[in-house]
């Protein structure tokens, strides 16, 4: 048993740790013995981290990062959680709040001391600074990478029927996730496999072959394929190397910076000279490593620096409230400065609620109910 005196503990309180052998019977016996003692109970979900927040050992953003770290499936998700746990987002939001508070102090000087020698241009001079701050917030809000990295990315396999889409999914996943058949139109619905690609959590989706059809079920599958393509972070466009012109035409409209062109069935035929496509054969394994490398590079290029962007809907909501309050404030600076000051207070409060500096009791149950017991 280790005795850890406050305040240099995770929760900031006196803590005792029991280190026991890992057999279930031993652990259960120790827990039963502790439960029989007066005044002891099992911790509630997230209680240790909640106590750390209440005792000032970490802020709410860091507490959320603890949950994200526990739930991280890939190295990129782990690094994102560690960045937030170490205060990357907190420093940004606290810096914005400090700038708001400084501006509020200047504005309140105009309100509280109208007969004193307060420069008349004080309130007018705030407009450019507040406009710049609002612009920073809205640019930050426009960056979706934090949430997307935390939740996972998607790569959708698209192409005409019977070009090897399902075989490609199985080769990437290393398992028979999708049915493979010579019959065209075998895949009617999407088939999904979760993968770790260079540290990114990626859901790879096989879809119905793109073609004109009178079959209602197959038509619905094609509609879903196009919908998934529109929302995908990366599109894997598969054409049959032996039917190149015909099958490339099926995906031509989908080509772009978010797409990788693949020449399937490369063991049977080669793509034409000059075709910018990865020659791939799931049957022989040719091109699989090249495709994975290309996917990793595309994800890295687009999502490399996602650590300092909002990672949850709660962050976006608070930031949007702050930015909207700033917009209203700027509209009142040359009119009713009392209303302008109130909007500045609302903006500062919205930012403070993100880190837990003000008025967050109503948020605690929402945040910590997703934690594991004892975290």
């Amino acid at each position: 048993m280790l005795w850890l005196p406050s305040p240099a503990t995770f929760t900031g309180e006196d803590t005792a740790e029991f280190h026991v052998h890992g057999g279930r019977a031993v652990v259960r016996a120790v827990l039963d013995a502790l439960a029989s003692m007066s005044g002891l109970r099992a911790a509630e979900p997230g209680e240790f981290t909640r106590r750390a927040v209440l005792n000032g050992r970490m802020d709410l953003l860091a507490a959320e990062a603890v949950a994200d770290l526990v739930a991280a499936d890939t190295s990129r998700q782990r690094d994102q959680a560690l960045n937030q746990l170490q205060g990357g987002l907190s420093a940004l939001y606290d810096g914005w709040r400090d700038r708001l508070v400084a501006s509020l102090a200047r504005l309140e000087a105009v309100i509280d001391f109208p007969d004193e020698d307060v420069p008349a241009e004080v309130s007018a001079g705030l407009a450019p600074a507040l406009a710049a701050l609002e612009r920073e917030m809205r640019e930050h809000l426009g960056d979706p990478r934090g949430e997307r990295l935390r939740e996972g990315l998607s790569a959708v396999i698209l192409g005409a029927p019977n070009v090897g889409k399902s075989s490609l999914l199985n080769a990437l996943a290393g398992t028979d996730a999708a049915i493979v058949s010579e019959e065209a139109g075998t895949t009617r619905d999407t088939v999904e496999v979760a993968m770790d690609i260079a540290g990114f959590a990626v859901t790879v989706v096989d879809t119905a072959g793109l073609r004109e059809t009178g079959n209602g079920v197959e038509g619905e599958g094609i509609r879903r394929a196009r919908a998934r393509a529109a929302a995908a972070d990366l599109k894997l466009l598969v054409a049959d190397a032996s039917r190149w012109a015909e099958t490339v035409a099926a995906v031509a409209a989908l080509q772009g910076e978010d797409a990788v062109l693949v020449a399937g069935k490369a063991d049977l035929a080669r793509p034409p000279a000059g075709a910018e496509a990865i020659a791939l054969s799931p049957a022989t394994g040719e091109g699989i490593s090249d495709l994975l490398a290309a996917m990793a590079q595309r994800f890295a290029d687009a999502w490399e620096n996602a650590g300092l962007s909002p990672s949850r809907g709660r962050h976006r909501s608070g930031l949007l409230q702050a930015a909207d309050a700033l917009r209203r404030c700027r509209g009142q600076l040359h009119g009713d400065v009392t209303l302008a000051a109130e909007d500045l207070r609302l903006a500062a409060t919205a930012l403070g609620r993100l880190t837990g500096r003000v008025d967050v009791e109503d948020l605690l149950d929402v945040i910590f109910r997703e934690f594991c017991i004892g975290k």
Side-chain angles (χ1 to χ4, degrees):
M1 186 184 77
L2 298 179
W3 174 247
L4 308 174
S6 64
T9 62
F10 180 78
T11 63
E13 303 167 326
D14 289 339
T15 305
E17 289 187 1
F18 288 80
H19 294 247
V20 302
H21 293 288
R24 294 183 181 179
V26 175
V27 173
R28 173 52 54 192
V30 172
L31 292 176
D32 288 345
L34 291 173
S36 68
M37 299 174 65
S38 176
L40 296 185
R41 62 170 175 80
E44 297 175 354
E47 184 167 355
F48 282 90
T49 307
R50 182 171 183 156
R51 286 172 179 251
V53 170
L54 294 175
N55 292 326
R57 295 292 290 169
M58 64 174 63
D59 63 21
L60 285 183
L61 291 171
E64 289 172 328
V66 172
D68 290 344
L69 187 60
V70 172
D73 291 321
T74 70
S75 61
R76 301 279 181 166
Q77 291 174 324
R78 177 202 64 207
D79 292 345
Q80 180 191 34
L82 285 173
N83 182 291
Q84 186 170 320
L85 181 61
Q86 292 163 359
L89 277 181
S90 297
L92 179 64
Y93 297 161
D94 282 341
W96 284 344
R97 184 175 184 276
D98 290 344
R99 288 161 63 183
L100 284 175
V101 170
S103 296
L104 180 59
R106 296 176 64 191
L107 197 56
E108 288 184 334
V110 176
I111 298 170
D112 295 340
F113 305 101
D115 299 326
E116 299 295 329
D117 188 20
V118 177
E121 67 273 10
V122 164
S123 58
L126 289 176
L130 295 180
L133 183 53
E134 182 188 351
R135 186 164 54 251
E136 290 177 37
M137 287 184 183
R138 294 200 184 276
E139 288 175 355
H140 185 69
L141 274 167
D143 185 349
R145 295 178 300 169
E147 283 181 277
R148 298 292 295 112
L149 185 60
R150 175 176 172 267
E151 296 169 358
L153 310 179
S154 64
V156 178
I157 304 173
L158 299 152
N162 204 22
V163 294
K165 299 187 302 299
S166 297
S167 296
L168 173 57
L169 177 70
N170 292 343
L172 291 174
T175 185
D176 290 334
I179 297 173
V180 176
S181 170
E182 292 298 325
E183 180 183 345
T186 303
T187 302
R188 299 293 181 91
D189 202 352
T190 57
V191 180
E192 303 182 359
V193 174
M195 295 183 61
D196 179 342
I197 299 178
F200 291 98
V202 181
T203 299
V204 182
V205 185
D206 182 23
T207 60
L210 303 177
R211 67 173 176 177
E212 297 296 328
T213 179
N215 184 295
V217 175
E218 185 181 1
E220 174 62 17
I222 293 171
R223 187 197 66 78
R224 295 186 182 188
R226 295 189 183 281
R228 292 302 296 265
D233 299 298
L234 183 65
K235 297 190 282 285
L236 305 181
L237 308 180
V238 184
D240 187 335
S242 63
R243 298 181 290 138
W244 186 254
E246 169 194 348
T247 54
V248 162
V251 294
L254 299 172
Q255 294 192 49
E257 293 183 359
D258 62 346
V260 176
L261 184 59
V262 175
K265 302 186 181 180
D267 56 317
L268 304 177
R270 308 305 295 179
E276 295 184 0
I278 297 175
L280 186 142
S281 170
T284 64
E286 178 189 356
I288 297 297
S289 60
D290 293 335
L291 177 58
L292 287 171
M295 294 172 68
Q297 188 61 54
R298 294 294 185 95
F299 290 138
D301 290 343
W303 306 88
E304 187 65 43
N305 299 310
L308 284 181
S309 57
S311 61
R312 292 175 180 246
R314 184 182 79 88
H315 305 169
R316 290 195 172 277
S317 177
L319 289 165
L320 186 60
Q321 290 175 30
D324 287 346
L326 266 180
R327 176 181 48 78
R328 295 193 302 269
C329 169
R330 294 195 299 112
Q332 296 285 354
L333 279 177
H334 300 293
D336 191 331
V337 292
T338 302
L339 291 178
E342 179 60 23
D343 282 322
L344 268 187
R345 273 188 287 272
L346 290 174
T349 298
L351 288 177
R353 284 167 63 87
L354 289 178
T355 58
R357 292 178 66 166
V358 293
D359 185 29
V360 294
E361 285 298 324
D362 57 328
L363 290 173
L364 294 181
D365 289 338
V366 174
I367 290 173
F368 290 106
R369 68 188 179 193
E370 67 183 67
F371 274 64
C372 301
I373 299 296
K375 288 291 182 282

